[in-house]
Amino acid sequence: MKYSKRMAMVKPSAIRELHQLEHDPEVISFCGGYPDASLFPVENLREMYLSVISMDSMAFQYTHSQGDATLRQQIADRMRSEGVACDADSIVILQGAQQGLDFAGKMFIDEGDTVLVEAPTFLGALIAFNAYEPRYIGIPMDSHGVDPLALEATLQQESGIKFLYMIPDFQNPAGVTLSLERRRMLVDLANRYDFYIVEDSPYRDMRYSGPSVASIKSFDTQGRVIFLGSFSKSLVPGMRLGWAVANKEIVQNFAQLKQAADTQCSTINMKVASAYLKTFDHNRHVENIVKHYRHKRDVMMNTIADTFPNAVAYTRPDGGMFTWLTFPDGFDADQFLRSTLLPRAKVAYVPGIHFFGDTRHLPINNARLSFSACTDDAIVEGVRRMGLVLSSHLS
Ligand SMILES: Cc1ncc(COP(=O)(O)O)c(C=O)c1O
């Protein structure tokens, strides 16, 4: 076989087969993490595409690898309003935050290098990093995010750590938000123990309750934090637009990697996003979709509270799209899905085992539920059916 060694690490997503269930009309699936397409501002985007196409033939031309300068400026303005010291030169436009994960892997990881990840973490990040063959160490979490004491204990034992990968806001999959105090502590640890932090925050705008918490990047004094943002959840995922905010050397490295990977993001999509931000009140749009998702979150959380047996613990997300279930010790969430929940209740979730980079201590008693793209009726019915089956199974 002439494939590179790397290809052995590039496996189909373990949860792809579960996503197939979304097409089975009998199954209520809480697997997906897609935004609700009925909330896409289609008319406004159509207007912007038409206007950009008719006014600017350069929309069809190549452009800089770092991305459209006006869009970078607009993103910098938004990030600055949230306390992040940056300008247009600190930003590179990416093909979604996902590309930033691949680039972080490419830029930092040599075979066997240690990468710290939350336990659990985003499967897409593991898929991106795996190609570069890191060794993962999972840092345990509680309801305030990663445990800084456990992190420091790891830092004292391990040397040469490249970076810590974090989803501080409404974490995927755990639904928890890292506290302000811990964000400060993390930057302090990064400075003292000399590692980078990749702060992946595609859900940052999607806050439904509680006060906003400043980004880790806003505490960065030594250029150690790479912030990844995205328009996928707050606008649309199909334009594939995200960005990184980082120190200028890293931004230049990202731009070089972009040159190699795909030259640049789509000129037309960047120009349309820029025109959209200029023409419409994006914050207003975010407020509207936040209302909608808040309602879905509440429907799911209330129905869980009413129907799940007490033996099942769950997180209460202040935003994002997910809640994380913890079943009693020894409960095999993957087996329960396949042997009981799907056949008897026609409900699906993603078993927690898929979200751990560090598989040395793999908990089997978790599951991720998403409320983002289901109707209210489907949430109520699916959670109710799950509650019934769980009650009889756990009694
Ligand atoms: C934590 C996390 N990071 C990154 C991404 C990728 O987002 P994008 O569409 O911007 O590539 C997702 C998408 O679901 C995500 O949940």
Side-chain angles (χ1 to χ4, degrees):
M1 186 54 70
K2 293 195 193 306
Y3 289 141
S4 69
K5 208 154 59 73
R6 182 172 314 112
M7 283 312 288
M9 308 300 292
V10 183
K11 299 196 196 94
S13 159
I15 64 174
R16 192 186 287 172
E17 67 171 299
L18 289 172
H19 285 309
Q20 299 300 331
L21 295 170
E22 269 149 42
H23 304 296
D24 179 341
E26 276 195 54
V27 171
I28 297 177
S29 171
F30 296 127
C31 295
Y34 280 14
D36 183 341
S38 72
L39 302 175
F40 296 162
V42 175
E43 275 313 310
N44 293 352
L45 286 173
R46 186 218 302 270
E47 198 183 317
M48 292 301 98
Y49 271 101
L50 287 175
S51 126
V52 166
I53 288 172
S54 52
M55 277 168 27
D56 188 356
S57 63
M58 295 306 274
F60 296 108
Q61 184 55 285
Y62 284 120
T63 188
H64 312 290
S65 294
Q66 202 178 331
D68 182 272
T70 315
L71 181 60
R72 283 190 283 118
Q73 185 61 53
Q74 288 163 307
I75 292 169
D77 293 344
R78 293 180 72 83
M79 298 287 308
R80 264 204 314 278
S81 74
E82 287 205 41
V84 175
C86 64
D87 56 29
D89 292 340
S90 341
I91 289 176
V92 53
I93 310 288
L94 300 168
Q95 202 83 249
Q98 184 67 34
Q99 188 168 45
L101 299 174
D102 178 46
F103 285 179
K106 216 176 219 173
M107 188 158 59
F108 289 117
I109 305 171
D110 288 315
E111 186 183 335
D113 279 347
T114 304
V115 169
L116 304 181
V117 290
E118 293 162 295
T121 189
F122 172 48
L123 178 63
L126 297 176
I127 291 171
F129 301 154
N130 282 348
Y132 306 103
E133 302 179 63
R135 177 176 74 108
Y136 295 111
I137 298 185
I139 310 295
M141 302 168 76
D142 60 25
S143 56
H144 302 290
V146 286
D147 174 353
L149 295 179
L151 172 61
E152 183 152 20
T154 301
L155 293 167
Q156 282 164 350
Q157 281 164 17
E158 298 282 334
S159 58
I161 285 167
K162 290 292 180 80
F163 65 85
L164 164 67
Y165 169 64
M166 292 281 315
I167 309 135
D169 300 305
F170 330 120
Q171 206 243 19
N172 178 6
V176 299
T177 295
L178 188 71
S179 70
L180 186 72
E181 194 198 350
R182 290 187 183 185
R183 292 176 192 226
R184 277 210 193 88
M185 288 165 88
L186 252 49
V187 172
D188 178 54
L189 288 173
N191 290 345
R192 281 200 283 131
Y193 289 90
D194 186 23
F195 60 91
Y196 283 89
I197 298 175
V198 176
E199 178 181 22
D200 180 19
S201 193
Y203 303 98
R204 188 160 172 80
D205 289 335
M206 319 278 285
R207 175 173 280 282
Y208 318 139
S209 49
S212 173
V213 185
S215 61
I216 302 174
K217 180 71 186 158
S218 67
F219 299 113
D220 184 16
T221 49
Q222 299 186 358
R224 290 181 178 279
V225 182
I226 301 169
F227 178 94
L228 298 177
S230 177
F231 287 116
S232 289
K233 318 296 171 183
S234 65
L235 189 58
V236 291
M239 288 169 82
R240 304 305 302 130
L241 287 175
W243 64 91
V245 186
N247 77 47
K248 290 181 185 167
E249 183 182 313
I250 289 184
V251 166
Q252 284 318 310
N253 286 338
F254 265 50
Q256 300 282 349
L257 292 173
K258 212 150 158 66
Q259 185 102 47
D262 55 4
T263 315
Q264 54 161 100
C265 288
S266 147
T267 312
I268 188 160
N269 286 351
M270 289 192 284
K271 281 188 182 289
V272 166
S274 173
Y276 168 87
L277 291 175
K278 195 163 155 216
T279 312
F280 299 104
D281 185 347
H282 184 54
N283 292 341
R284 184 78 181 277
H285 170 70
V286 170
E287 273 168 34
N288 283 338
I289 66 174
V290 156
K291 260 188 234 150
H292 179 95
Y293 287 120
R294 177 187 296 125
H295 170 75
K296 298 244 176 263
R297 188 239 2 218
D298 291 345
V299 171
M300 179 169 271
M301 300 322 290
N302 293 340
T303 316
I304 288 178
D306 289 346
T307 62
F308 273 23
N310 289 337
V312 182
Y314 51 93
T315 57
R316 296 166 192 278
D318 275 328
M321 298 180 167
F322 309 103
T323 179
W324 181 247
L325 309 183
T326 303
F327 301 108
D329 283 347
F331 183 104
D332 184 335
D334 187 48
Q335 213 223 327
F336 175 73
L337 171 72
R338 289 168 204 281
S339 65
T340 310
L341 189 65
L342 255 179
R344 278 184 40 201
K346 298 267 181 213
V347 173
Y349 55 54
V350 185
I353 41 166
H354 300 297
F355 301 102
F356 291 88
D358 185 342
T359 49
R360 289 171 303 173
H361 314 284
L362 189 60
I364 57 169
N365 59 328
N366 298 108
R368 186 191 77 176
L369 299 186
S370 168
F371 50 82
S372 59
C374 293
T375 63
D376 291 8
D377 287 351
I379 295 175
V380 171
E381 178 62 18
V383 171
R384 204 184 53 77
R385 283 193 220 159
M386 240 183 109
L388 278 174
V389 176
L390 279 167
S391 297
S392 76
H393 195 83
L394 291 172
S395 61

